[in-house]
Amino acid sequence: MSLSAPRDARPLNHPEFGGYHAAWRAWARDDTVRHSGSSGGVLTAISGWLLTSSNVSSVAASTADPVAPTRTRSVDATTVEEILLAAGSRYAPVENVTTWAARSDAALVGKPCEISAARKLSQLPGADDAPPLLSFFCAGTPSQLATDQLVIKLGAAPAEVTSLRYRGNGWPGDFTVSSEDGDTQAMSYKESWGGNLGRSLQWRCKTCVDGTGGDADISVGDYWKVDQNGYPDFSEGAGESVMIARTAKGLRLVLEAEAAGVIEMHPIHLDAVAGIQPLQVQRRRLLSGRLAGRLMSGKPGPRYRGYGLAGHAFRHPIQNLRASVGTWLRSRSGGT
């Protein structure tokens, strides 16, 4: 498979985060929305505002399955109440593009790969008459089995779960499971993602070139605080996002949302984000090495054009060599 970087005109480009018009540190002004969302409630706030301002008639997004809460399903939200129910990340397989169905009056909130597909379906990169495409920073999609195993690890039976949140209700928020017997168990984000879910990613996610929503109109990620060593600090706090306007349409929408009192935003430079999103930086810098390692092991891989991968390989040769060898060894042993 071959994939090219988006080519619509953008005034700025960042080597790791791609094309954009402007970036901010941001959060929802409504405290309930800010608390409920994964990282400041920005996508929740903008989605609700798109509905109430008549920009769209619905928003395709992900939410917990009301019958089987350990699973995730796509929803076509038509009210702010439905948007709020969908607040908070869902680290599990789900597909929203079919629900969205390229309707001009419907917004889409999805993973970067879904937004890339949706952009090609709409064939109107950032145009005002194209539907709003909203994305978030993605580290990969864990398997459904990983969620079920984590539920069991907390002492609950997946079939008896009445509520499951991966995060949110705080920042970053806990992985929280409630059962029919009224018992509620929780695990920190650092342990649930770093120690469990993040170790069960689809192999395709490990060779993805874009984890930051480069094809979206607006993309959002965690604006982590960092500790004294420069690593993200997952201590609980009031949620904050990095928000990137990727297209002229996205820029217009976030400025209108700010003027309407929906979001608070403060300009930042994306170089500052690179230090608090190390996984996304390493993804782009070392992808050439990982792809080379797959080819060396005789396994196919995607082909990317326009993302500057050759330049990253040239600037970071030792790290890419290590990535090649590591990927080759894992591939030979049956891994990915």
Side-chain angles (χ1 to χ4, degrees):
M1 182 186 70
S2 179
L3 181 65
S4 298
R7 299 190 181 280
D8 54 308
R10 297 174 185 178
L12 301 169
N13 187 77
H14 191 274
E16 280 81 34
F17 295 102
Y20 69 107
H21 283 252
W24 304 265
R25 182 171 59 95
W27 55 87
R29 284 187 174 171
D30 184 292
D31 289 339
T32 299
V33 174
R34 185 180 187 182
H35 182 73
S36 298
S38 292
S39 56
V42 170
L43 285 179
T44 302
I46 291 177
S47 295
W49 169 75
L50 286 171
L51 283 175
T52 57
S53 62
S54 300
N55 276 280
V56 299
S57 61
S58 67
V59 179
S62 300
T63 190
D65 189 309
V67 177
T70 60
R71 296 186 175 269
T72 303
R73 70 177 181 90
S74 182
V75 61
D76 194 34
T78 58
T79 66
V80 172
E81 290 72 24
E82 288 176 316
I83 292 293
L84 286 172
L85 286 174
S89 298
R90 301 293 299 183
Y91 295 119
V94 67
E95 187 271 307
N96 293 333
V97 177
T98 301
T99 298
W100 170 69
R103 289 170 292 145
S104 61
D105 65 337
L108 171 64
V109 178
K111 301 182 292 295
C113 55
E114 292 182 288
I115 298 301
S116 180
R119 180 65 72 197
K120 289 174 173 59
L121 282 172
S122 69
Q123 300 198 354
L124 292 167
D128 270 352
D129 54 349
L133 302 180
L134 314 179
S135 192
F136 43 82
F137 287 17
C138 177
T141 303
S143 68
Q144 179 61 43
L145 179 61
T147 293
D148 294 340
Q149 290 175 336
L150 193 51
V151 168
I152 293 170
K153 191 172 185 177
L154 285 174
E160 298 175 359
V161 169
T162 56
S163 172
L164 185 149
R165 286 188 66 99
Y166 288 86
R167 54 181 297 202
N169 285 338
W171 184 52
D174 292 337
F175 180 90
T176 307
V177 178
S178 299
S179 301
E180 292 175 351
D181 60 5
D183 186 44
T184 296
Q185 297 293 331
M187 181 183 289
S188 71
Y189 171 75
K190 184 176 182 178
E191 186 178 357
S192 64
W193 173 261
N196 292 272
L197 298 171
R199 299 178 181 272
S200 181
L201 302 182
Q202 302 175 41
W203 83 263
R204 181 62 181 83
C205 296
K206 298 176 183 179
T207 55
C208 174
V209 71
D210 175 26
T212 62
D215 273 315
D217 293 306
I218 303 166
S219 62
V220 173
D222 288 285
Y223 194 79
W224 299 118
K225 297 178 175 65
V226 295
D227 62 21
Q228 60 185 4
N229 298 314
Y231 292 103
D233 179 1
F234 300 133
S235 300
E236 285 293 319
E240 293 188 12
S241 297
V242 50
M243 179 176 65
I244 307 174
R246 299 286 192 178
T247 64
K249 180 186 181 73
L251 178 61
R252 176 180 63 80
L253 288 175
V254 297
L255 293 177
E256 289 180 2
E258 181 195 32
V262 173
I263 52 176
E264 177 89 10
M265 50 196 240
H266 303 272
I268 56 172
H269 196 286
L270 286 180
D271 283 347
V273 181
I276 59 175
Q277 286 283 347
L279 184 145
Q280 299 299 348
V281 170
Q282 293 298 94
R283 175 200 299 273
R284 188 69 65 93
R285 287 181 180 176
L286 304 185
L287 188 54
S288 288
R290 291 171 181 164
L291 294 175
R294 282 193 64 83
L295 291 175
M296 289 162 52
S297 67
K299 294 187 176 182
R303 297 185 300 276
Y304 299 115
R305 297 188 300 270
Y307 290 92
L309 298 185
H312 284 303
F314 179 79
R315 288 188 292 273
H316 310 283
I318 302 302
Q319 296 95 322
N320 272 278
L321 178 60
R322 290 172 178 165
S324 294
V325 173
T327 302
W328 176 67
L329 291 173
R330 287 191 296 273
S331 296
R332 280 172 55 88
S333 63
T336 54

